[in-house]
Amino acid sequence: MRPAWRTWLARELTRGPAAHGWTEDHRRTLARVATVIARRFHVRFSPAQIWRILRQMGFTAQVPVHRAAERDPHATARWYQQTWPQVQQIVRDRDAWLCFADEAGQTLRPPKARTWSRRGHPPVIQTRVKGSGRISLAALVGRKPGHSTRFIFRILAHHGRKGEKTGFREVDFARLLDAAHQQLGGDIVLLWDNYTHHVDAAMREFITARAWLTVFRFPASTPELNPVEGVWAHCKRSLANLAPCTTDELASLARTRLKRMQYRPSLLDGFIAETGLPLPAP
């Protein structure tokens, strides 16, 4: 394939399948790439040839990263231009910890992960399909230049019993922040999302009563800016293909995985770096 054709193809692939009439999904298959080339240059390549060409151009088959369709790129750009400089200025002025917080959950049905098996015979893993057991997770990642990155978390087990708490409430978040303030020993500038219990009147009252706490919110539908999302992804990968267990056993396993991360500040730094937020080196 001619070099000029490859330059053109790379540009067209970047535009996505919808630009070439495939609007029902976002798959760039070998057959579709061959069709795009044939439309432009009237030359038909086989799937094997297309595979070699794409590999030579530096393309590989990858799982896409999801982005919320509701995301407003203009609001995100304004956040970077206006809010993020304010966050950094307050962190410097108060010599504060920059903290990120988030919540997640996990049911008794574990995530799936690849494992070895004879071709054509996928492994079968027994999972629980009855019961409403699950766990809720809340965590905070704290960063401050000259200090090791810190990680603080809480776990809440749900057994499906009548009258049992179904999730973290405002008072639970307040206790987590109080524990973080005590352990970090300094002011906190907190970034989190627009979850209902983060922005309601009760939470605003808790925040106002804590002079050491300043809170900012991420733009809507931008989980990739929160390094705690990386914590959840790492934790859930370690729980993949889990053998059947009870709710308390699941909580214990998750606690073990999360506690290990507390002793790996370089891993936490990696989650922060993955967000792309412009931060000075720790």
Side-chain angles (χ1 to χ4, degrees):
M1 190 175 183
R2 299 175 183 175
W5 292 13
R6 297 190 181 210
T7 301
W8 174 87
L9 179 59
R11 184 170 61 250
E12 293 303 307
L13 291 177
T14 302
R15 294 175 60 197
H20 300 279
W22 292 288
T23 58
E24 68 276 11
D25 58 49
H26 297 276
R27 293 182 300 141
R28 300 179 179 92
T29 64
L30 297 177
R32 289 181 177 182
V33 174
T35 299
V36 170
I37 296 173
R39 288 174 181 172
R40 178 67 175 81
F41 300 109
H42 308 290
V43 175
R44 174 66 66 172
F45 291 96
S46 70
Q49 290 174 313
I50 294 295
W51 185 89
R52 285 194 296 270
I53 290 169
L54 293 178
R55 294 286 295 187
Q56 292 167 2
M57 292 171 58
F59 285 80
T60 59
Q62 301 180 38
V63 177
V65 176
H66 286 175
R67 290 287 183 268
E70 299 82 3
R71 176 176 175 173
D72 184 351
H74 300 294
T76 303
R78 287 195 302 271
W79 185 87
Y80 269 109
Q81 295 170 1
Q82 301 173 12
T83 305
W84 181 242
Q86 295 178 28
V87 172
Q88 293 181 299
Q89 186 64 48
I90 295 176
V91 168
R92 287 192 298 266
D93 292 346
R94 298 188 180 180
D95 191 28
W97 285 80
L98 176 59
C99 295
F100 307 86
D102 195 37
E103 307 80 42
Q106 178 60 52
T107 66
L108 294 178
R109 178 173 293 185
K112 294 180 182 179
R114 292 180 182 273
T115 187
W116 289 97
S117 182
R118 188 178 298 277
R119 183 179 301 168
H121 296 80
V124 177
I125 298 176
Q126 303 293 331
T127 62
R128 293 185 182 274
V129 296
K130 293 183 178 181
S132 55
R134 61 185 178 88
I135 59 173
S136 291
L137 310 166
L140 179 147
V141 172
R143 181 186 187 278
K144 186 177 181 179
H147 296 73
S148 296
T149 302
R150 303 289 294 277
F151 176 56
I152 302 167
F153 68 91
R154 295 291 184 269
I155 296 179
L156 186 62
H158 311 281
H159 302 87
R161 298 165 183 163
K162 185 176 180 180
E164 189 178 44
K165 185 186 295 185
T166 58
F168 287 98
R169 307 290 295 183
E170 295 85 351
V171 65
D172 301 303
F173 294 128
R175 289 170 180 166
L176 174 62
L177 294 173
D178 288 339
H181 179 234
Q182 183 177 10
Q183 294 183 37
L184 299 177
D187 289 357
I188 290 176
V189 176
L190 177 67
L191 281 165
W192 59 9
D193 58 24
N194 295 283
Y195 177 51
T196 302
H197 295 312
H198 294 172
V199 300
D200 60 17
M203 195 68 238
R204 291 197 301 270
E205 183 178 348
F206 281 125
I207 293 171
T208 303
R210 290 158 173 78
W212 46 265
L213 177 63
T214 304
V215 176
F216 291 90
R217 293 196 293 274
F218 288 112
S221 304
T222 55
E224 70 277 4
L225 296 181
N226 195 336
V228 186
E229 293 287 347
V231 171
W232 302 143
H234 185 83
C235 178
K236 291 188 177 186
R237 278 196 299 270
S238 71
L239 295 173
N241 299 348
L242 198 65
C245 63
T246 66
T247 303
D248 290 331
E249 289 171 340
L250 175 61
S252 178
L253 290 169
R255 182 175 291 105
T256 299
R257 268 67 166 178
L258 295 175
K259 284 188 71 67
R260 289 174 184 168
M261 283 188 255
Q262 290 182 319
Y263 298 96
R264 299 181 64 188
S266 60
L267 177 64
L268 301 174
D269 290 333
F271 296 144
I272 296 174
E274 190 177 25
T275 66
L277 292 172
L279 286 165

